[in-house]
Amino acid sequence: MTEPSAQAANAPSLTGTSAYNHSEPITFIRQLRYAGVAMLLAFGLSMPLLALKLSQDISNHLIVEQRFLLLASAMLIAFACGLRWRLFGLRSQWPAEALYLVLSALLLFFLIRAFHGLGSLFEATLDKGGSEFLIALGLLACGTALQSALAYALHVERDRWAAALPAMPEGLAARFGGHCAKHANTGALVALVAFPFLMLALTGTAGAIKWVDNFGVQILIYIMLGWGLNIVVGLAGLLDLGYVAFYAVGAYAYALIATQVIPATFPALGVWAFWICLPIAGLLAALWGVILGFPVLRLKGDYLAIVTLAFGEIIRLVLVNWTEVTKGDTGIQTPRITFFGLPFASATGDRTFGEVFGLSGSPTIYRSIFLYFVILALALLTAYTTNRLRRLPVGRAWEALREDEIACRSLGIDTTSTKLTAFAIGAGFGGFAGAFFAARQGFINPKSFEFIESATILALVVLGGMGSLLGVALSAFAVIGGTELLRELDWLKSIFGPTFDPAQYRMLIFGAAMIAMMIWKPRGLISEREPSIFLKERKAVSGTLVKEGHG
Amino acid sequence: MMFRVPKTPPGAPLLIVEHMTMRFGGLIAINDLSFTAKAGEITALIGPNGAGKTTVFNCITGFYKPTSGRMALIKGTHDPAQIVATTRLGGRWSPGATQPQTPGVFLLERMPDYEIAAKARVARTFQNIRLFPGMTVLENLVVAQHNQLMQAAGWFTGLFGAASYKAAERQAVEKAATWLDKIGLTARADDAAGALPYGAQRRLEIVRAMCTEPVLLCLDEPAAGLNPRESAELNALLRAIRQDSGVSILLIEHDMSVVMEISDHVVVLEYGTKISDGTPEHVRNDPKVIAAYLGVEDEEVGIRDQGPGIRG
């Protein structure tokens, strides 16, 4: 494939817009012609394989099955793709063009063939819900064509439009954009605070428990974990594959102190267990962060990653095997969170939250909403702290460390303590999240702290764009929320048959999304870096210049 | 925050390197090197490729630990007895040397790299520029003032927006802006350092080192890769730095126009051994240097052609 810029440099610019440097002016008729050729090619290549299928009937006779609708949709896709490639590709020479058409047709052909061979899923699709599938394909093709036409109109005909329209809309758009950006934080905060009540109003008690707890709380836990790890990986550039260890330390600190220490010493404080343990869990996790930090200070890159990975596993294995204390895989029943000492449900007849505030009904929904606000507050605390730290010398030193450790030392920055603070603070937030997790679940065992959790949290940070709080939040929203959302797609069963369970495709979709991200947005959703200080104007730093850090 | 007092008076010894030897396995990179850099002067370290100049720098700035030898950085007046006493005591510096107002001596070979920069106040630049490319020009200069800002922020009191930290930060930005003015990069203060042209990156790296308020600035080939115009700008910058801030400069350079023009004192290395030491005039006329480094006279070519001389 040729480099577009190289070709763009050769071809004279005729249309006036930078992206379209064709040797001939683009006309819509020409687009149609090219797309038509693509369609014919697709017809020629896929006709024998798609349109006709040999199969056996009940009496073992060979019969020819006709699937012209499938062929038609293949041609439609080829048509759309041809139109699209002609519009977006910067190819000005016909051999490249022809190669493109052939390649696209071939690609399509193989795709359809591969799908066809995928087995039960698509067999079932073609037999049972085949028509819906084909309609979907046709719609996709039409959509692509429409999009191409729109892009054509927007880009190629832009000058004509621009002449016809006054400059006002652009200015308005810019002002509107600026306005949105300015109030985005406030808006997001209002939306987050309103979310549980909105859900309660919209879906009733049962629905709200699901949306607030499964979605809201779950996503916020991962946002908080992502933000915590972001300090270590995104800011300080230390690749940590064992972050879940600190989450586990926090969770077990809460579980053990609340079930063993407090009943043995001050049983009266039992209802306050979560609020007492929260800071202790954070501090303990931070201490473990330092304990991990010391031996790995000299390590870089892959070696650091492996040792942190091992550390995560060691913690988990200790939790599994130290049965006298942790009860191993059996796990520990943890006391539920209380509303500042007021339990939501009580087996012993204590006054509960509902009684005091005169709220009837299931205590679960009140607890869920309260949990939601607790984790929201914890996550906001993490974001606030991270933002402040970035503007402090220690935060700037973290980022400088990620950029160039040797330069840091030449400027008199003690890289040892800088790394240790990053480990400790990142771990501390993991510990907070762990204590919250234990209080929310009411039960913990080592199964919750396996390597896949570390990998997921790291994926959130990488997908979001290392160092970007908004990016990590967005990716947590997409990955965790998306995973939960797959459970809600029961209507897909009407298309793909009753055995189809979209949640089973979680990892497949996750993997595909990862690959797509690595191709199109290798530095994450938000790769730009916000400078921590500015002289005249705040300009985001392009992600291509920002280093990823190697330990 | 101004330069630390007491300052070493101009012309007095600032850095005394004695019998420095650096071995990498069987290779002797530096062999029994002794020289003195004086306060307020520009000392150039020259020599053919592979002579060990950068190794000397790495030893002085603590990135390498010399196999043997002593490197004493003098604060205040030079007192040979104090150097001996400190060496005997086994400390990294003479008692009280890190306190302001107290004269003293730092034994660089005993200090880790970041301490040499933070306490003894030796700053350096690198042969291959080491900026923080993803941080803005201004951020690069603010990071360089890390230790001063750390004192103002404490570890975490700055978290709550303490006024003292805000003032210190404003001061740091002002200092950065002053330096940016000097190198003509004010307009690009908010751009990423990695996006600057090469010559500007070189100047920025020097200024970043200056923001640590050093007493000795070690520049490793600052003119490498610069065109003649940028080279001249660099000369002017180095002169201005010496004049305005009185900082002493230790310089590795291949560009003889830079070396001969601005340095007060030249040390010549060849294969890790010092072959000449003196004023630029002296070095320029030293037959050993001419033979080893600058090239030999035409009529001598016939005789010396077989020798190990490297002609410039």
Side-chain angles (χ1 to χ4, degrees), chain A residues 391 396 403 409 529 532 535, chain B residues 113 134 139 165 169 190:
Chain A
R391 284 162 181 74
R396 292 207 186 98
E403 297 286 320
R409 287 189 284 163
R529 177 182 167 272
S532 63
L535 198 63
Chain B
D113 43 20
E139 281 180 305
Y165 172 65
E169 195 180 43
D190 297 318

Side-chain angles (χ1 to χ4, degrees), chain A residues 384-385 388-394 396-397 399-400 403-404 406-415 417-418 421 425 529-537 539 541 545-547, chain B residues 63 113-114 117-118 124 126 130-136 138-139 142-144 146-147 149-150 153 155-156 158-161 165 169 173 177 186 189-192 194-195 208 212:
Chain A
Y384 172 82
T385 315
R388 288 307 295 224
L389 283 172
R390 278 199 64 213
R391 284 162 181 74
L392 285 179
V394 61
R396 292 207 186 98
E399 292 202 74
E403 297 286 320
D404 195 324
I406 289 179
C408 272
R409 287 189 284 163
S410 83
L411 296 173
I413 296 172
D414 181 356
T415 49
S417 62
T418 306
T421 46
I425 294 173
R529 177 182 167 272
E530 275 290 302
S532 63
I533 194 167
F534 61 96
L535 198 63
K536 294 202 177 65
E537 66 172 310
K539 292 187 212 165
V541 175
L545 292 169
V546 180
K547 291 265 187 293
Chain B
F63 285 87
D113 43 20
Y114 72 91
R124 72 169 291 179
F126 296 85
R130 281 185 179 275
L131 287 169
F132 305 121
M135 302 176 89
T136 65
L138 180 68
E139 281 180 305
V142 174
V143 168
H146 177 81
N147 287 312
L149 285 172
M150 240 1 206
W155 270 96
F156 294 112
L159 260 186
F160 308 105
Y165 172 65
E169 195 180 43
V173 172
T186 310
D190 297 318
D191 287 330
R208 185 182 66 179
T212 64

Side-chain angles (χ1 to χ4, degrees), chain A residues 214-292:
Chain A
N214 288 5
F215 281 81
V217 174
Q218 186 77 0
I219 293 174
L220 280 169
I221 288 180
Y222 277 93
I223 287 182
M224 181 164 177
L225 287 170
W227 281 347
L229 184 62
N230 179 52
I231 292 175
V232 184
V233 179
L235 294 183
L238 304 160
L239 184 54
D240 183 353
L241 285 182
Y243 190 63
V244 77
F246 309 122
Y247 189 40
V249 167
Y252 271 87
Y254 170 65
L256 293 174
I257 296 174
T259 58
Q260 311 279 330
V261 180
I262 292 181
T265 49
F266 304 101
L269 288 176
V271 285
W272 285 92
F274 175 73
W275 300 102
I276 295 168
C277 293
L278 187 66
I280 299 176
L283 285 175
L284 271 177
L287 179 71
W288 277 101
V290 174
I291 290 173
L292 164 69

Side-chain angles (χ1 to χ4, degrees), chain B residues 167-194:
Chain B
E169 195 180 43
R170 210 173 308 122
Q171 228 176 353
V173 172
E174 267 164 33
K175 184 156 104 184
T178 318
W179 277 111
L180 285 178
D181 252 352
K182 281 188 194 169
I183 57 169
L185 280 181
T186 310
R188 305 212 58 180
D190 297 318
D191 287 330

